[in-house]
Amino acid sequence: MSGSNNHIADNTEPYDKEALAAAAQRLQSGKLVAVPTETVYGLAADASNADAIADIYRTKGRPDFNPLIVHVSNLAAARKLGEFNALATRLAEQFWPGPLTIIVPKTPVCPAAPAVTAGLDTIALRCPAHPLMQKLLQLSGLFLAAPSANKSGGISPTIASHVSSSLGNDAPMILDGGPCHSGVESTIVAVRGDDYQILRPGPITREELETALGKPAIISASDKIESPGQMLSHYAPAKPVRLNVTKATAQEYHIGFGAIEGDHNLSKSGDLAEAASKLFAALHLADSSASTGIAVAPIPETGIGAAINDRLKRAAS
Ligand code: TXA
Ligand code: MG
């Protein structure tokens, strides 16, 4: 399953047994490893090692007030870090392993280094479905903090070569598992007692959450920025981005969808899941093309379309 991309960095390793063992060892000794998940590539480190966590923030150039997601191999492991009430348990049982991050109160004995949660009394937890990330969790025996493996504010990586092009000389060992299946980051749900709030739309849709929990998500009136990564300008390509464009100018790289062909079409058949999986690669392509701007065709707001439009709005602001 080594990647099909043709310019991968020297420190990119194919997904095999030796590479996995070497990666687990590096993590145990406090080093970073870039690893694919079903959403995007993550920049992983031992969540309990303060120096390793500091290295994540340094490598990404990430502000230290923006907390990290901790990846676990199952719900039992997650319970060591976070308090799962009935609603949180239901979410985990229904959607894990998978692209859902659940924010719950930290346990009194939570082993995560304080910088992981950036001083909050809550923690973001996710049990990923990707077999490579799962094997790494099991082999290392660690809880793995992992933000997306790009420089802070940049476009998330969905293939191994995006990691090396974003992190450059700061890139650690990269495990190449090929392209990520979902292509947009996990849905983030904050548990608020018996209620829940969607902090970041993602592959698990609002409709799926509402069906599973039997009630709508709360929309907070005071929507303060509790999830700092949710600040507006994010995923920013270097070029200006225009949205809902049916006809681009000659200077623009046009990302198409459905019948709007464009220079590069996210899904000719209008399939939103396919479009999500291709979104960040298209933004990377558009950004490195000769065009002076990027135009994007309209994307329906239904299902995972909400996550696509969320990322596009951030890219355009
Ligand atoms: O799909 C994903 O979630 C990927 C893969 C690697 O798992 N990871 C990812 O991490 O997208 P990152 O760091 O790029 O985004 C994490 C988001 C940030 O917006 C951060 O502010 C938020 O999670 N977050 C983390 N802990 C939080 C907490 N305790 N309360 C609220 N938001 C939190
Ligand atoms: Mg990110």
Side-chain angles (χ1 to χ4, degrees):
M1 232 173 104
S2 64
S4 53
N5 44 41
N6 36 30
H7 31 211
I8 46 181
D10 288 338
N11 46 352
T12 301
E13 300 277 348
Y15 169 13
D16 64 18
K17 238 177 154 175
E18 279 98 277
L20 258 174
Q25 213 165 36
R26 276 165 183 261
L27 291 167
Q28 285 162 345
S29 62
K31 296 201 176 83
L32 309 188
V33 173
V35 54
T37 77
E38 70 274 37
T39 57
V40 299
Y41 276 71
L43 184 64
D46 175 359
S48 69
N49 183 326
D51 291 337
I53 298 306
D55 204 14
I56 288 185
Y57 282 94
R58 197 164 40 235
T59 302
K60 276 186 66 88
R62 183 177 177 114
D64 62 8
F65 55 78
N66 190 1
L68 308 176
I69 296 171
V70 179
H71 299 70
V72 295
S73 47
N74 52 45
L75 176 56
R79 287 188 193 279
K80 296 187 180 130
L81 300 131
E83 310 272 14
F84 282 70
N85 66 7
L87 185 135
T89 302
R90 190 136 168 216
L91 282 172
E93 285 175 344
Q94 189 100 21
F95 297 107
W96 282 1
L100 180 72
T101 295
I102 309 175
I103 295 180
V104 291
K106 281 203 291 198
T107 62
V109 295
C110 178
V116 167
T117 54
L120 297 175
D121 51 14
T122 53
I123 188 163
L125 296 167
R126 170 158 117 80
C127 171
H130 197 291
L132 213 172
M133 183 56 151
Q134 268 292 342
K135 281 182 186 139
L136 204 53
L137 284 162
Q138 279 152 28
L139 214 56
S140 66
L142 300 169
F143 303 118
L144 295 176
S148 51
N150 53 281
K151 286 284 181 190
S152 185
I155 305 164
S156 291
T158 54
I159 54 176
S161 66
H162 291 160
V163 179
S164 38
S165 60
S166 180
L167 298 182
N169 287 336
D170 296 327
M173 175 187 190
I174 304 166
L175 284 171
D176 188 352
C180 300
H181 172 79
S182 293
V184 291
E185 305 86 346
S186 62
T187 305
I188 302 182
V189 170
V191 174
R192 316 253 189 242
D194 294 334
D195 285 306
Y196 68 103
Q197 191 178 357
I198 300 170
L199 298 187
R200 178 172 75 183
I204 305 290
T205 63
R206 172 181 297 274
E207 294 85 340
E208 287 177 281
L209 291 166
E210 293 186 350
T211 303
L213 297 172
K215 60 170 139 186
I218 43 174
I219 315 245
S220 164
S222 68
D223 253 335
K224 58 181 164 79
I225 297 179
E226 185 198 348
S227 197
Q230 297 314 101
M231 287 176 306
L232 209 55
S233 174
H234 209 68
Y235 310 99
K239 296 171 186 172
V241 179
R242 287 199 307 135
L243 305 182
N244 296 312
V245 178
T246 47
K247 206 169 177 321
T249 67
Q251 290 77 37
E252 283 174 324
Y253 186 97
H254 196 191
I255 298 177
F257 177 78
I260 299 171
E261 186 92 30
D263 297 303
H264 180 89
N265 199 297
L266 292 177
S267 171
K268 288 195 175 162
S269 65
D271 177 348
L272 287 168
E274 182 188 7
S277 75
K278 292 184 174 165
L279 177 67
F280 290 148
L283 286 174
H284 277 278
L285 267 179
D287 215 17
S288 59
S289 73
S291 71
T292 55
I294 303 170
V296 189
I299 310 285
E301 182 66 16
T302 49
I304 199 173
I308 299 175
N309 285 321
D310 170 77
R311 305 312 188 270
L312 284 172
K313 272 182 218 135
R314 290 171 206 286
S317 62

